[in-house]
Amino acid sequence: MTERFSLPHLDISQRKRDGEYQAPSQYRGGGSAPRIREEHGSRLRRELETAFAVMNQQSPPTPDGIEPAGGKYVEVEIVRQRKVDKLERKDDGMKPGAVRMEPNEALTVALFVPDAARPVLERILEDYTGGELTVAGNPPNRNFVEPIEAFRVARLQTFWTDDPNALPDDPETEFWWEVWCFSGAEESVSAHAQQLRAVVGEAHYWLRFPESTVVPIFTNRVTIELLLFATFGIAELRRASASPVFFTDENREDQFDWAVNLAERTTWPGNEATAICLLDTGVNRAHVLIEPALGTVDMMAINSRWGEDDQAGHGTLMAGLALHGDLTPRLVDDSEMELKHRLESVKFLPPDGFGANDPKSYGAVTQSGVSISEINNPERKRVFCMAVTNENVSGSRATTWSAAIDQITSGALRDEGEEPKRRLFVVSAGNIPEHIERSRILPNDEYPIEDPAQAWNAITVGGYTNKVAVAEEDLQDHEPLVDVGALSPHSRTSVLWPQGKTAFKPDVVMEAGNRVVSPDGESVYTADSLCTLTTGSDVDRQPLSPFCATSAATAQVSRIAAMLTEEFPDYWPETIRALIVHSAEWTQTMEDELAAARGLRDRYPSLRRFGYGVPSLERARASAINDLALVAQNHIQPYKSGGGRRFSDCHYYQLPWPLRTLEDLGEAEVELKVTLSYFIEPNPGASSSVDPQRYQSFGLRFDLMRPLEDSQEFLQRLNTKEREDPKDRVRFAAEDNRWMLGSQSVSAGSLHCDVWRGPAAQLALRNMLCVKPTMGWWRNRASLEVCNQKARYALVITLRTADIEFDLYTPVNAVIETNIDVEIET
């Protein structure tokens, strides 16, 4: 049963707005009668008291895990031509939010009053009513009280500063809201909204101003009203209106001016900055939003006769998103921008008039493109971005192209004795044909991810969408094809690939746009308003252009990768990949699909649709106060050959759990997330398609202590040499069922991620984790020198509570400071 709650609007003053009672005009002149002063002050005190009483009675119960805000909003009406900031009392925490002008020109203000400030406000009114006059003959607190005409119960409309007609009458109609938050309160508002199952827009779409941050939230009025009770961070509400159509249709003639404005607000990167190397159709460097971040020397081509410019347009579209992300919020936002990464371009595809690349040579061409960029600037850090696929060739088995990417990323192509040079590659999953006839469009699962996106070491990017607001005038009777947070209609999946023999792909999904359906349900179109906005190849006449599908998604993920690489220069490519995947979270739509699965295996198809979710630069950068991240980079020797070839090292991590803190949390839910990332050297022989262990040079897995298992039992379960008699068959503690995917999900691939959710007390004593090797061709099919060589990996672990206000960082940090070295045993 759905319970609905509304914030009532009670006109406590019981007076007409046409002026039946006027606040004391004599007082405003400086010398009013005491009777009028007392009447005005007493009425305001009664109205305030009644407003608080009504709100205490009418406040809906907050959902589990959410504490109500420590205060109340009241609606304040003040006389015209008075300054709203007179209501603010910073020392007491009282602050005005939304301001709306009424038909009689009075101002209605949403005023937040903390619980601790309520007696202060009451005392201000009391002193005004009966306190001694000042030397000048004025009552106390005159400047604060006299402009106030009335106190009323705050309602949702108190915060609504948009066109009244833009607010739907149906309280359960969902749409994108602009939630204007007080500066510093946006994270709390976002977290509370997600606990209420609202969809919060990616942080890239937040608009930041000196005193407020605008957070896009997709939900209904009922949830917004609950959110107002749960947090004091909301200043005002509007309907979200930013759309690419504003720039591509409504203001097409002003596109160049908009682009120049953003360019002038941007601080551009130096030549030494990390670069995104685009393997594409070239880039039109003359674009005002590209030229400062792409040097002429960094414009390259596989074949010098092709030229470096972009005749096809695709590379320039990629360049804008790779540098700036979706341009729509950046153009609307008037703040200063700073870019810390730059671009390189290797023209990978021939222009018209030249023969197409032979598909059999795609691997060699890719390797050539990588070599060209590195020879051009050997010292620069870079991320490779390639949104080119072998059309309609399924990636269900390794090809020369996908294996070449695995070779490039792992550094397998090196001279004898040379240290491997690892590289980070971001590739697209491939797109579904954009048929107009709906009858021709098959489900996403019927379109397998295309070659070379099956490469184990690459970050493969699919698409999802949050775009459902159709802005085109001629499409107002059309509906979005998929809902908010769903898989984009452009994105392919690996559901048809053999489970257990192929890696889970895509790894992550990013905004790839939506499509619209005609009123009769028979036709489907791609609408500009449901796309991202980027740099167009017509740099003078149409420098802004809509862009969608998995190419757009891939460019955005490469941007995150480059920004992390620049910010954390000591992190390996394997670590950057781990951070990106670890930062990914499933949308509510994806979570619902996973929750509906009957067992762990039934969740695997979902993982093959949208991977580990939507990555976040902010989550990858650092953990919040209730979200602790531990990052490890280590070398490991998987095998050794002395006395026969066998497994060598296991790494055991003593995790710094705050034991007492977790025990105090008891049955409260915590979330443990583990991501393990490493790069394998490929062996794409005939049998590798049926046996992943023949394809990988080595494999790694992680294992956490099981319930009721102590450290000695944990060691004995994983290593027979820890047992008194290695030949004894010992019964060990069973694995619990709180992992989202479980150990059986890990059979192929070089990236493994899983989430454990359960009571904090159950996790308290499970404070040891192991990284252990599995079979690979290094062990049995390589030379002794190769068998004994070391590999490396990155491990990311986070511990998070569902309680937004709970501080896990302090107790865990205390454990780390007293025991700095995380234990690793071999």
Side-chain angles (χ1 to χ4, degrees), residues 362-434:
Y362 284 161
V365 172
T366 303
Q367 291 171 340
S368 177
V370 170
S371 297
I372 289 171
S373 67
E374 292 181 342
I375 292 171
N376 180 64
N377 192 330
E379 301 302 319
R380 177 183 287 160
K381 288 180 175 289
R382 55 178 55 81
V383 173
F384 292 95
C385 175
M386 186 175 70
V388 180
T389 60
N390 199 354
E391 191 173 352
N392 294 323
V393 176
S394 170
S396 60
R397 59 184 296 174
T399 63
T400 55
W401 196 4
S402 68
I405 292 175
D406 282 335
Q407 284 184 320
I408 294 167
T409 49
S410 65
L413 298 177
R414 60 187 184 274
D415 295 333
E416 186 175 349
E418 184 182 12
E419 186 69 20
K421 181 175 182 177
R422 278 84 170 188
R423 303 167 181 89
L424 188 60
F425 242 84
V426 185
V427 302
S428 64
N431 299 325
I432 292 174
E434 293 189 28

Side-chain angles (χ1 to χ4, degrees), residues 9-300:
H9 182 257
L10 179 63
D11 191 348
I12 301 168
S13 64
Q14 298 294 318
R15 60 188 175 83
K16 297 179 181 179
R17 294 198 176 232
D18 59 5
E20 224 177 70
Y21 173 85
Q22 294 293 328
S25 58
Q26 305 100 315
Y27 225 39
R28 298 183 191 114
S32 75
R35 181 181 61 79
I36 298 179
R37 165 192 173 190
E38 181 179 354
E39 180 182 343
H40 183 59
S42 298
R43 180 176 56 78
L44 291 180
R45 291 170 62 189
R46 291 194 303 272
E47 290 177 353
L48 183 66
E49 181 180 354
T50 307
F52 280 123
V54 171
M55 286 186 287
N56 286 333
Q57 294 173 0
Q58 297 292 334
S59 296
T62 52
D64 293 340
I66 296 182
E67 292 294 327
K72 293 287 189 293
Y73 285 105
V74 291
E75 182 177 287
V76 183
E77 183 180 327
I78 62 177
V79 296
R80 60 185 177 182
Q81 298 178 350
R82 291 301 179 103
K83 293 183 179 180
V84 174
D85 57 9
K86 294 291 185 182
L87 296 174
E88 185 172 17
R89 296 179 64 89
K90 293 182 179 180
D91 292 343
D92 301 315
M94 285 191 291
K95 50 189 173 183
V99 180
R100 189 179 69 250
M101 181 172 286
E102 302 295 343
N104 66 350
E105 298 186 357
L107 298 178
T108 299
V109 183
L111 179 67
F112 176 71
V113 182
D115 289 339
R118 179 177 169 182
V120 176
L121 181 56
E122 291 171 343
R123 188 166 57 252
I124 288 172
L125 296 175
E126 182 179 343
D127 291 346
Y128 169 85
T129 305
E132 293 184 7
L133 299 180
T134 66
V135 175
N138 295 319
N141 308 310
R142 173 193 175 191
N143 290 338
F144 183 90
V145 178
E146 282 198 358
I148 299 175
E149 290 279 1
F151 286 112
R152 291 187 289 270
V153 175
R155 52 178 182 157
L156 185 141
Q157 284 81 353
T158 304
F159 300 86
W160 186 258
T161 59
D162 210 338
D163 181 349
N165 295 323
L167 185 63
D169 294 330
D170 184 354
E172 296 210 11
T173 297
E174 293 183 312
F175 61 95
W176 280 105
W177 302 66
E178 283 184 2
V179 179
W180 290 64
C181 305
F182 294 113
S183 184
E186 60 272 12
E187 296 293 346
S188 176
V189 171
S190 170
H192 280 98
Q194 291 178 72
Q195 283 198 302
L196 292 169
R197 293 176 59 86
V199 178
V200 178
E202 299 166 29
H204 175 77
Y205 292 91
W206 297 11
L207 302 179
R208 300 183 186 274
F209 302 103
E211 295 186 347
S212 59
T213 298
V214 184
V215 179
I217 297 179
F218 184 84
T219 188
N220 55 30
R221 285 173 56 180
V222 174
T223 302
I224 290 293
E225 288 174 347
L226 286 171
L227 193 59
L228 288 169
F229 279 105
T231 174
F232 56 81
I234 298 177
E236 61 180 288
L237 300 167
R238 303 179 190 176
R239 187 162 190 148
S241 59
S243 169
V245 171
F246 176 83
F247 303 100
T248 59
D249 290 349
E250 298 174 19
N251 293 271
R252 180 186 293 266
E253 67 279 2
D254 297 325
Q255 281 193 16
F256 187 78
D257 292 337
W258 283 102
V260 169
N261 176 268
L262 176 56
E264 292 175 345
R265 290 187 283 114
T266 301
T267 301
W268 297 90
N271 190 57
E272 70 285 350
T274 300
I276 297 173
C277 183
L278 295 171
L279 302 176
D280 214 282
T281 61
V283 174
N284 285 346
R285 180 177 175 271
H287 199 292
V288 68
L289 292 175
I290 296 175
E291 185 271 337
L294 177 59
T296 54
V297 70
D298 295 325
M299 298 275 289
M300 297 159 277

Side-chain angles (χ1 to χ4, degrees), residues 695-741:
Y695 181 75
Q696 64 186 16
S697 52
F698 70 100
L700 297 176
R701 303 290 185 268
F702 63 81
D703 201 334
L704 181 71
M705 285 178 63
R706 293 177 178 175
L708 305 179
E709 189 174 52
D710 61 29
S711 58
Q712 188 59 37
E713 291 170 333
F714 180 56
L715 296 175
Q716 290 177 352
R717 175 167 61 84
L718 296 176
N719 190 350
T720 57
K721 291 187 177 181
E722 296 287 343
R723 306 170 193 171
E724 292 184 8
D725 185 350
K727 296 182 180 179
D728 281 352
R729 296 179 63 86
V730 182
R731 295 186 64 182
F732 296 105
E735 184 176 3
D736 65 352
N737 60 356
R738 294 190 176 276
W739 291 98
M740 284 294 294
L741 303 173

Side-chain angles (χ1 to χ4, degrees), residues 429-502:
N431 299 325
I432 292 174
E434 293 189 28
H435 297 305
I436 294 178
E437 301 88 348
R438 192 171 188 179
S439 59
R440 297 180 61 192
I441 301 175
L442 302 176
N444 295 61
D445 292 349
E446 298 296 321
Y447 298 94
I449 287 177
E450 293 175 326
D451 178 45
Q454 71 271 35
W456 284 21
N457 297 338
I459 301 178
T460 301
V461 183
Y464 91 113
T465 189
N466 270 340
K467 295 185 178 292
V468 294
V470 182
E472 289 86 349
E473 289 288 341
D474 58 340
L475 296 178
Q476 287 304 297
D477 56 351
H478 289 53
E479 295 292 329
L481 181 58
V482 300
D483 294 331
V484 162
L487 191 67
S488 168
H490 300 285
S491 191
R492 290 174 174 262
T493 78
S494 66
V495 171
L496 296 182
W497 291 3
Q499 174 58 31
K501 297 180 174 62
T502 56

Side-chain angles (χ1 to χ4, degrees), residues 329-358:
R330 298 289 73 83
L331 295 172
V332 173
D333 188 349
D334 200 36
S335 61
E336 300 293 317
M337 304 293 169
E338 183 178 10
L339 284 183
K340 295 185 178 181
H341 67 286
R342 54 187 301 111
L343 292 178
E344 296 176 340
S345 172
V346 177
K347 196 165 188 175
F348 178 82
L349 298 175
D352 291 341
F354 292 85
N357 294 333
D358 182 354

